Amino acid sequence: MKYTPVTAVWEITFACNMRCKHCGSSCTNALPDELTEEEALKVCDEIGKLKLSYITLSGGEPLIRKDWHKIAKRLKENNVTPNMITNGWLLTQENVRMAKEAGISNIAISLDGLRETHDFMRKEGSFDRILTSLDILRENKMPSSIITTINSKNIHELPELYELLKEKNVKNWQMQYAMPMGNFVENRDLIIEPHQIDDIIEFAHNTLKENKIRIDLADCVGYYNNDEIEVRTHNEENTEYLWTGCLAGKNALGIRYNGDVVGCTSLRDDIFIEGNVRDRSLVDLWNDEKSFEWNRKITKDQLTGFCANCQFGAYCLAGCSVLKYTTGKKLVENEYCSYKVAVDKEKCEINKIDDENILLEKGNLALEEEQYQLAEIYFSKLFESNKNNVEIINKLGYIHYKLENYDSCTEWNKASLAIDKDNAYSLKGMGLALVKTGARTEGIKYLEKAIVADNALLDPYYELALIFYEDNEFNKAKEFLNQGRQKSESFIETSKELYDLILKQETCN
């Protein structure tokens, strides 16, 4: 698969004039192996060859690096749009003028609460400097935005902060979590709890009514919460947005102050370094099949815990890589998920239900509404006291198939067939699961057994036809469809689209 680079973050210096309590990079002073101006400008040309659309200049504090405006200008000359993240302390009229001349499209300022909280997290006097900076940006008609890193100390200040930003005519506001990395490892008491994710999402959703400030939820804030989807969809101009996994190494990359290339600059461990621009070009590093394997090759079957069984697992892949790595030191599981919080809460309520009729009713309703995660909880509870009930076991097999947990689906169907070896539904389920796990030949045998076990069951005819169609064996595909069509007029209609595709392929060949 070819990955198209779109955006990047470039940490142009490690130097910083603050020592923020939540700094994930633990930035201090400029380090001796920082890219020289000549090297940095060469990297700008390589970024142009990579055909990035835009790039964010960060640090440390990027304004400390004296040639920041030259870097920005060179990027713009390479048809890459630069923007900048700053702490605002050094933002002067002159710097804003230089930024506009260099082609910087937006300057984002980090603001982490009201005056006392922000200054506590960053530096005394910083809050007032930012208010002045916002005035300077507005006077110079420079597009700007605010980034807030949320912790347990400032999460309750969001409404007041919102009113302040409206007064300052701020139009864009990004929210992200403070994660246990860098300096924040020493301030773990300030880390928010997973259940507080919904407080952030609810706040952002409530602001949609006024539509005064565009609130962007960072990649770490989610997932599959209806309000979150509505916020993101609103910001994408009504194009329905769903989280589909971390983009590090797929559409995005990071460059460190010394030229190390990573999928994301927030992933600080050296194991994420793919190479260095001093040794290889960015284009070569990006196109190397071995680069970014940790994210490009992750699949749902590698996930663990709740994420392993999640019905969104194949798309989400456990969420933001920085979040899951810093909170659990692994890339395959994530506790900070709004959907998980909701399911865990629902599971507590389900566990209080003892009436099997109610469990069955609610479980079937969850299936009808395609809420497979909840359905799995209902039927698992039913299974505890009905371990030989083939119908319940088959439901669990079906649920795990829909959850794309094919190994689990196979095990449930094995359990069903151990009780009733000729159960057509179980044979069909086993066949489909085996095909999905790569055991195609064995899977086909089970589907054929399902036809023998129940001649009136038509699903296997369609599934077999689809398998052979996808393998370009059109004659066999049509043969199974014809067998099913001879048995039922309704099957003629339900199989029409696939049948027409087969005929079209035969004509083309």
Side-chain angles (χ1 to χ4, degrees), residues 212-453:
K212 294 289 187 180
I213 301 178
R214 169 184 167 136
I215 294 184
D216 286 308
L217 301 173
D219 287 353
C220 56
V221 184
Y223 306 90
Y224 303 96
N225 173 307
N226 287 334
D227 287 350
E228 173 231 354
I229 293 170
E230 192 172 336
V231 170
R232 296 187 191 275
T233 298
H234 175 82
N235 292 342
E236 296 295 327
E237 299 182 350
N238 298 319
T239 299
E240 187 174 22
Y241 178 96
L242 286 175
W243 170 260
T244 55
C246 172
L247 297 178
K250 294 180 178 178
N251 297 114
L253 73 151
I255 305 171
R256 294 183 182 171
Y257 67 92
N258 63 349
D260 284 339
V261 176
V262 291
C264 173
T265 53
S266 294
L267 288 166
R268 305 306 300 183
D269 283 7
D270 288 348
I271 60 172
F272 296 106
I273 297 173
E274 307 297 338
N276 190 287
V277 295
R278 287 178 168 130
D279 304 318
R280 295 179 68 187
S281 72
L282 270 179
V283 173
D284 285 346
L285 282 168
W286 181 266
N287 291 327
D288 190 331
E289 291 183 359
K290 294 182 179 179
S291 293
F292 313 104
E293 284 187 319
W294 61 268
N295 196 35
R296 288 179 177 178
K297 293 191 175 181
I298 188 171
T299 54
K300 191 189 180 212
D301 58 1
Q302 297 171 331
L303 304 183
T304 59
F306 177 88
C307 298
N309 290 318
C310 179
Q311 71 184 82
F312 302 112
Y315 314 101
C316 178
L317 296 171
C320 166
S321 294
V322 180
L323 179 63
K324 57 191 177 183
Y325 186 74
T326 57
T327 56
K329 282 296 179 185
K330 53 186 177 180
L331 296 167
V332 291
E333 191 174 335
N334 186 2
E335 293 290 320
Y336 281 77
C337 169
S338 177
Y339 180 65
K340 180 184 184 301
V341 170
V343 171
D344 285 347
K345 189 182 298 183
E346 189 73 21
K347 186 174 182 178
C348 288
E349 295 303 312
I350 293 172
N351 284 336
K352 296 176 184 177
I353 302 173
D354 293 321
D355 189 318
E356 291 191 357
N357 290 325
I358 294 176
L359 288 169
L360 184 61
E361 180 184 348
K362 288 183 175 291
N364 284 326
L365 180 61
L367 276 179
E368 289 176 19
E369 295 178 347
E370 298 183 352
Q371 295 181 355
Y372 301 115
Q373 207 84 46
L374 295 182
E376 195 274 338
I377 298 171
Y378 281 113
F379 282 101
S380 288
K381 186 169 175 62
L382 279 168
F383 176 73
E384 290 174 7
S385 53
N386 297 274
K387 295 189 183 295
N388 291 315
N389 188 312
V390 172
E391 183 179 350
I392 291 174
I393 296 172
N394 281 343
K395 287 283 179 66
L396 284 164
Y398 172 74
I399 290 166
H400 280 271
Y401 183 84
K402 298 302 289 186
L403 290 172
E404 300 184 38
N405 301 328
Y406 301 120
D407 288 336
S408 297
C409 176
T410 300
E411 291 305 312
W412 283 112
N413 282 295
K414 277 183 182 178
S416 176
L417 291 171
I419 300 168
D420 180 3
K421 65 182 179 62
D422 294 321
N423 187 284
Y425 190 87
S426 304
L427 290 166
K428 183 195 78 168
M430 177 68 87
L432 291 174
L434 286 169
V435 170
K436 287 292 187 180
T437 58
R440 179 181 178 274
T441 302
E442 189 179 0
I444 289 172
K445 287 179 181 178
Y446 271 95
L447 286 166
E448 290 173 337
K449 287 179 182 179
I451 292 174
V452 174

Side-chain angles (χ1 to χ4, degrees), residues 46 49 55 74 87 102-103 138 156 163 182 190 216 229 235 245 271 286 293 314 405-406 413 428 440 474 478 483:
E46 290 187 20
K49 292 175 183 176
I55 189 168
R74 188 66 157 260
N87 60 35
R138 187 171 64 252
H156 305 296
E163 295 301 325
L190 295 177
D216 286 308
I229 293 170
N235 292 342
I271 60 172
W286 181 266
E293 284 187 319
N405 301 328
Y406 301 120
N413 282 295
K428 183 195 78 168
R440 179 181 178 274
F474 304 120
K478 188 166 70 171
Q483 289 178 33

